Amino acid sequence: MDYDVIIIGGGVIGCCIARTLSKFDLNIALLEKEADIASGTTKANSGVVHAGFASPREYIKRDMCIAGNKLYTQAVEELNFPFQRIGSFVVALEDNQINKLEEQRKQGTQDGVAGLEVILDKARIKHMEPNLTEEVVGVLHAPSAGIVSPYEMTYALAENAAMNGVKFFRNQRVRKIKHQNYTYTIKTKEKEFKANNVINAAGVYGAKISKMVGLDYFSIMPRKGEYMLFDRNAMHLNKILFPTPTQVSKGILVCPTVSGNTFVGPNAQNISDKKDIATTAAGLKEILEGGTKLVPNLPLRAAIRNFAGLRAVPDTYDFIIDNTDVYGFINVVGILSPGLTSCYAIAERVVDFLELLGVNTKVKEDYNPKRPKPEKFKDFSKKELDDKIKEDPAWGRIICRCETIPEKEILNAIHSPVGANTLDGIKFRCRPGMGRCQGGFCRPRLIEILSRELNIPYEEVVKMGEDTNFLVAKTKEIVLHKLKGDVEE
Ligand SMILES: Cc1cc2nc3c(=O)[nH]c(=O)nc-3n(C[C@H](O)[C@H](O)[C@H](O)COP(=O)(O)OP(=O)(O)OC[C@H]3O[C@@H](n4cnc5c(N)ncnc54)[C@H](O)[C@@H]3O)c2cc1C
């Protein structure tokens, strides 16, 4: 089949574009190299929906962020993903930082960021966020800032796009693109796809894809950010806490998540290896030092996980959203922070480009913007739960004890549109393995369930893609092979 549009990359940007375009009468496909969508930068970031005053005024990422923040209200209503507009503080610890906060307030307000206020009354600040250090001298309060689950939002976008006809192809690494007679032929290891228009949303690999059509006008450097995550309910923060920014970074923040965890991070380290997401002792020390300046009593004993994500930093330091000279090829790359916040505005800009290319952007009659809220054990009353368990006993079989996740939620995650096909896919969709034991208890059960539901042997169940299987063979089979000399000691 020839597609009108093919999107390369299933991160938040690719999936948001897919969902936005799914309202038009178009044949659309999305190709993702990993076993699942939301496996790149989208999986590991701060999950902050920024108010939009932080980027310099000359950058388009500032406009995209301010517009994108506002578009979240409608998106949440339609797509039912976890989002809370809790507001942020930029914290001044020295008197000479107040000027910077005032400048950000003034410019942000002029540019349309609602509700910005510099607060100098320490009692009021401490009432709004009791965990904040006694050293605080003032804060810039941005009530429109929020927190979101970046991967749950991306799954919601993909599900809704699929409901409206977009085809998702995972495990499809784009290797080659040929452009001839206004048609693109895109080659992966086993498949060939044809399209009239291509959107490059390949994150840190964006320059590589762009070069495949001869466009070599930018480079992308990975910049690592490390985090430490604390257990749910170890601390309750009311606000997202940023330090006063420096020239190079928004700094190390202390922040709640939509699931009730708290984290500290990220730092910012330029690296060369686009696969390096390892955390380091030095990095963790750096983020703890930064975080404790804002919140001295971080719950260190409740640390449950360290992780890192890679920013796709372009040489322009700004988003690259280009209707390029190669007809029908659109670059949407270098989407560093605040890309998550900006995704809905970015997708609208892509629609403008497609209109210029003459693509049909008439909304189809049967477009359904609603994605139903995934049912959750924790949201039910006792009576509702009893009824649910009578209807389907899988609601009563708890698989993850730390997060109280029943088998039914896992089955729903596997069988949703663009459903989970790996253990991480289940974990990020409905949280088994996200709790204190980090999967020690539930992993064997999850392997069983995924094997049964996808009808694959245990050995083929993977954590996140090729060569990440937990099991290699049955113990007795290995012994027998050893006896026969098939397996080396
Ligand atoms: C440490 C950190 C903190 C951040 N905090 C925030 C924040 O608080 N708020 C905010 O707004 N933004 C934040 N961001 C930025 C935000 O996370 C990114 O802007 C966003 O996730 C980028 O999404 P993406 O879809 O462009 O990239 P990705 O999520 O990386 O998606 C690109 C996809 O393309 C796929 N791909 C690559 N090559 C190929 C190929 N050859 N064939 C097929 N598929 C391919 C990849 O596998 C990947 O899934 C942060 C980023 C980092 C790293």
Side-chain angles (χ1 to χ4, degrees):
M1 175 207 250
D2 279 13
Y3 291 96
D4 298 302
V5 181
I6 282 186
I7 300 158
I8 302 173
V12 67
I13 299 301
C15 291
C16 189
I17 294 169
R19 189 266 178 162
T20 304
L21 300 185
S22 74
K23 63 172 160 255
F24 306 126
D25 205 355
L26 298 171
N27 286 325
I28 302 167
L30 183 146
L31 313 183
E32 166 55 51
K33 74 176 166 65
E34 299 297 331
D36 201 358
I37 55 170
S39 294
T41 304
T42 295
K43 189 167 75 171
N45 56 63
S46 305
V48 173
V49 175
H50 293 280
F53 54 81
S55 300
R57 276 178 143 172
E58 60 275 22
Y59 287 158
I60 54 163
K61 62 184 177 180
R62 182 182 176 96
D63 303 339
M64 294 281 127
C65 183
I66 294 171
N69 175 302
K70 291 174 184 158
L71 292 168
Y72 262 72
T73 306
Q74 186 186 346
V76 174
E77 264 175 43
E78 292 177 348
L79 297 167
N80 280 301
F81 54 82
F83 170 68
Q84 295 162 18
R85 228 181 252 288
I86 58 172
S88 64
F89 278 176
V90 181
V91 179
L93 299 177
E94 289 166 26
D95 290 331
N96 62 14
Q97 293 174 328
I98 298 293
N99 282 345
K100 176 79 191 165
L101 303 192
E102 263 306 339
E103 182 194 313
Q104 287 199 321
R105 184 202 61 77
K106 195 170 150 221
Q107 292 192 351
T109 306
Q110 283 168 354
D111 294 344
V113 181
L116 290 177
E117 183 188 9
V118 173
I119 308 175
L120 301 176
D121 176 349
K122 200 162 158 179
R124 188 172 157 218
I125 296 170
K126 292 285 285 177
H127 177 71
M128 291 169 85
E129 181 45 78
N131 292 294
L132 200 52
T133 173
E134 292 298 327
E135 308 294 315
V136 58
V137 294
V139 298
L140 172 58
H141 181 216
S144 62
I147 50 175
V148 65
S149 165
Y151 35 86
E152 285 179 76
M153 180 172 89
T154 304
Y155 299 136
L157 287 162
E159 282 177 27
N160 189 243
M163 284 164 55
N164 286 298
V166 176
K167 301 276 180 293
F168 283 77
F169 297 91
R170 292 174 283 183
N171 284 313
Q172 298 298 323
R173 180 195 300 271
V174 172
R175 296 176 153 201
K176 217 172 177 182
I177 307 176
K178 211 169 94 190
H179 184 212
Q180 216 169 26
N181 302 332
Y182 299 105
T183 302
Y184 291 90
T185 306
I186 302 179
K187 288 194 172 157
T188 65
K189 195 173 173 190
E190 303 116 10
K191 288 191 164 69
E192 196 173 274
F193 301 84
K194 285 195 188 297
N196 300 116
N197 300 280
V198 174
I199 297 166
N200 170 16
V204 287
Y205 295 94
K208 195 173 169 186
I209 297 291
S210 186
K211 279 182 199 156
M212 290 182 192
V213 295
L215 288 167
D216 186 6
Y217 65 101
F218 60 90
S219 64
I220 289 183
M221 174 181 59
R223 182 177 289 166
K224 196 200 281 190
E226 293 166 82
Y227 291 92
M228 185 179 284
L229 181 75
F230 303 108
D231 197 10
R232 267 187 310 121
N233 306 324
M235 161 168 266
H236 180 80
L237 282 182
N238 296 329
K239 296 283 172 195
I240 305 155
L241 302 175
F242 295 96
T244 302
T246 61
Q247 288 290 28
V248 288
S249 150
K250 287 196 272 290
I252 290 159
L253 54 148
V254 184
C255 185
T257 73
V258 284
S259 312
N261 301 78
T262 302
F263 70 80
V264 57
N267 56 354
Q269 199 198 353
N270 294 338
I271 56 169
S272 52
D273 181 355
K274 294 189 165 117
K275 291 189 179 134
D276 175 7
I277 48 165
T279 52
T280 60
L284 297 176
K285 186 164 173 274
E286 182 189 351
I287 58 171
L288 283 180
E289 276 170 10
T292 43
K293 282 188 194 149
L294 300 180
V295 176
N297 60 334
L298 284 175
L300 298 185
R301 292 170 73 90
I304 53 170
R305 189 152 191 106
N306 308 324
F307 63 93
L310 301 184
R311 303 166 183 90
V313 183
D315 41 14
T316 56
Y317 291 97
D318 200 3
F319 295 165
I320 297 169
I321 313 171
D322 283 350
N323 208 353
T324 70
D325 293 343
V326 177
Y327 194 85
F329 189 89
I330 299 175
N331 270 326
V332 190
V333 290
I335 309 296
L336 64 175
S337 187
L340 186 62
T341 312
S342 310
C343 63
Y344 297 99
I346 292 173
E348 288 305 332
R349 180 158 289 206
V350 171
V351 173
D352 294 342
F353 289 160
L354 289 173
E355 268 171 4
L356 288 175
L357 291 167
V359 174
N360 170 17
T361 52
K362 190 169 170 287
V363 177
K364 60 191 178 197
E365 270 175 22
D366 57 351
Y367 170 60
N368 176 7
K370 294 266 179 195
R371 174 257 195 179
K373 188 172 182 207
E375 290 188 309
K376 291 197 172 155
F377 182 97
K378 281 184 184 164
D379 295 340
F380 293 134
S381 66
K382 169 88 179 57
K383 161 87 179 65
E384 285 167 336
L385 203 50
D386 286 347
D387 292 344
K388 282 281 173 194
I389 293 171
K390 271 187 212 134
E391 204 180 279
D392 187 339
W395 276 112
R397 281 195 289 274
I398 300 300
I399 303 296
C400 170
R401 291 186 186 175
C402 302
E403 297 288 314
T404 329
I405 311 295
E407 183 172 359
K408 185 65 184 173
E409 281 185 44
I410 293 160
L411 296 176
N412 289 346
I414 295 171
H415 296 296
S416 60
V418 204
N421 51 5
T422 63
L423 291 191
D424 272 6
I426 299 177
K427 172 177 163 181
F428 283 93
R429 278 173 181 78
C430 64
R431 294 188 63 79
M434 288 260 189
R436 194 143 198 146
C437 91
Q438 290 287 297
F441 178 79
C442 63
R443 188 173 300 132
R445 291 287 291 118
L446 292 175
I447 293 175
E448 266 172 27
I449 294 170
L450 204 53
S451 156
R452 184 187 75 212
E453 296 302 313
L454 299 186
N455 201 16
I456 53 174
Y458 291 158
E459 299 89 307
E460 282 179 24
V461 172
V462 290
K463 175 174 158 47
M464 52 193 277
E466 224 176 307
D467 293 333
T468 60
N469 46 324
F470 286 97
L471 306 173
V472 286
K474 293 200 174 107
T475 322
K476 282 186 183 161
E477 278 175 8
I478 292 183
V479 173
L480 284 174
H481 282 305
K482 272 187 188 162
L483 286 175
K484 280 204 256 162
D486 295 349
V487 175
E488 284 179 27
E489 288 292 331

